[in-house]
Amino acid sequence: MSEQTATVIDGKAFAAGLRERVGGAVTTLKSEHNLTPGLAVVLVGEDPASQVYVRNKNKQTLEAGMNSWEHRMPATASEDEVLAMVRQLNDDPAVHGILVQLPLPDQIDSEKVINTINPDKDVDGFHVINAGRLATGQDSLVPCTPVGCVLLAKDQLGSLSGLEAVVVGRSNIVGKPVAQLLLQEHCTVTICHSRTRDLGEVCRRADILIAAVGRPEMVTGDWVKPGACVIDVGINRIEGEGGKTRLVGDVDYASAAKVAGSITPVPGGVGPMTIACLLRSTVLAACAQAGVTAPDI
Ligand code: GUN
């Protein structure tokens, strides 16, 4: 058996460094521009995973020196009530970023809620205006996980120009925006999905392989080009030995790590990048709204 040869990409350490840089930028904005970036999060209902996520966001936002507000609404909240909350936050000048935690309860139309957020405060980058701005190469707020993927790939590889990038997954939250970002980095980009023919063969072309399908350990080592950079966005909880559950990605780490040049682990790869990128987006949104030149973070 061959051994693991891939460099393990430490997303946790990279995210910590990014949060440090965000904190430094916040200090400067406060002292030089009297500007404190602020992020408001709306959480509807009691979903346990969402509660953990929102708590972490709140903690890290405060640690970076920013203002943070949490608006909790009951699972029974009506669409009109959630829309009213979003409009109130749109009108609040201290709020530079608005994030409505997904998923929303069934009685609420998520698309309508997202598209009611002021696009300049849409730090998730999910508003249709931001999707359009990204696709046309205009300044936009960009979804956080895709930004995290590209930052990690660039940290590993330097310039991505001319590289073959293959994205497995076509969601609006990861697959499509990460493909747009890779295109901006001058990659040749292929987006694959469940109906792609010869998926393994397409993946084997990739210098950068992004797995974001939500299927546990689907991408195996024989789909990986030797030396490729493998970025695993998946977070799947599966039954492990002895009835215990464990987290795995969309990549079969053990086999892929024997072939790849570098690979993100799960957990500790892309996951920690998402909130760090959210903090970064909040700072960029605050600067744009205040007419201040954005720091290089
Ligand atoms: N739920 C899980 N991840 C996310 C995210 O990045 N943004 C929002 N709004 N909801 C989520």
Side-chain angles (χ1 to χ4, degrees):
M1 283 284 275
S2 60
E3 294 301 313
Q4 167 171 337
T5 52
T7 301
V8 182
I9 299 173
D10 189 346
K12 203 171 157 188
F14 193 96
L18 179 52
R19 288 199 303 273
E20 282 283 310
R21 296 197 292 282
V22 168
V26 170
T27 304
T28 306
L29 290 172
K30 282 179 174 175
S31 63
E32 291 183 8
H33 301 280
N34 195 26
L35 174 63
T36 304
L39 172 66
V41 172
V42 179
L43 175 59
V44 185
E46 316 269 317
D47 177 62
S50 290
Q51 289 190 356
V52 172
Y53 197 59
V54 167
R55 204 180 314 130
N56 284 335
K57 270 185 232 178
N58 190 38
K59 180 168 169 278
Q60 293 183 26
T61 308
L62 293 171
E63 279 169 4
M66 299 194 251
N67 288 326
S68 176
W69 300 273
E70 238 182 88
H71 295 278
R72 289 177 178 254
M73 305 181 76
T76 52
S78 69
E79 185 175 284
D80 281 346
E81 286 169 327
V82 176
L83 291 173
M85 172 63 77
V86 167
R87 292 192 182 104
Q88 180 193 320
L89 298 170
N90 281 345
D91 292 341
D92 185 342
V95 173
H96 304 100
I98 302 170
L99 183 145
V100 179
Q101 184 68 22
L102 301 176
L104 287 167
D106 290 345
Q107 74 274 17
I108 299 169
D109 179 347
S110 303
E111 225 165 62
K112 194 164 171 188
V113 170
I114 287 164
N115 288 331
T116 299
I117 297 171
N118 174 346
D120 297 335
K121 296 190 176 188
D122 167 40
V123 282
D124 261 328
F126 293 165
H127 193 293
V128 69
I129 294 244
N130 281 318
R133 285 177 180 160
L134 176 63
T136 52
Q138 299 174 56
D139 265 354
S140 68
L141 288 164
V142 182
C144 301
T145 303
V147 171
C149 293
V150 172
L151 288 176
L152 291 179
K154 284 173 76 171
D155 187 52
Q156 270 309 304
L157 302 173
S159 167
L160 308 186
S161 181
L163 297 182
E164 287 274 350
V166 173
V167 179
V168 189
R170 54 175 158 177
S171 71
N172 292 332
I173 291 178
V174 182
K176 286 178 201 160
V178 83
Q180 296 289 357
L181 289 174
L182 291 164
L183 204 50
Q184 280 185 7
E185 296 294 331
H186 312 292
C187 293
T188 302
V189 182
T190 305
I191 305 179
C192 303
H193 46 79
S194 54
R195 307 225 186 143
T196 299
R197 268 184 282 135
D198 301 325
L199 187 51
E201 199 169 306
V202 180
C203 289
R204 268 191 299 278
R205 293 208 298 257
D207 301 306
I208 304 169
L209 180 58
I210 312 253
V213 262
R215 295 209 190 172
E217 300 177 319
M218 186 173 102
V219 175
T220 47
D222 57 330
W223 290 17
V224 176
K225 175 175 167 176
C229 174
V230 177
I231 307 282
D232 188 354
V233 182
I235 301 177
N236 309 287
R237 194 170 282 283
I238 63 165
E239 188 119 337
E241 275 165 40
K244 281 192 190 157
T245 64
R246 62 188 181 99
L247 285 184
V248 298
D250 292 349
V251 175
D252 175 33
Y253 185 88
S255 63
K258 291 176 184 163
V259 188
S262 53
I263 185 166
T264 59
V266 176
V270 174
M273 293 296 290
T274 300
I275 295 179
C277 291
L278 174 70
L279 304 182
R280 176 178 178 270
S281 288
T282 304
V283 168
L284 298 179
C287 290
Q289 285 159 52
V292 169
T293 306
D296 190 16
I297 43 175

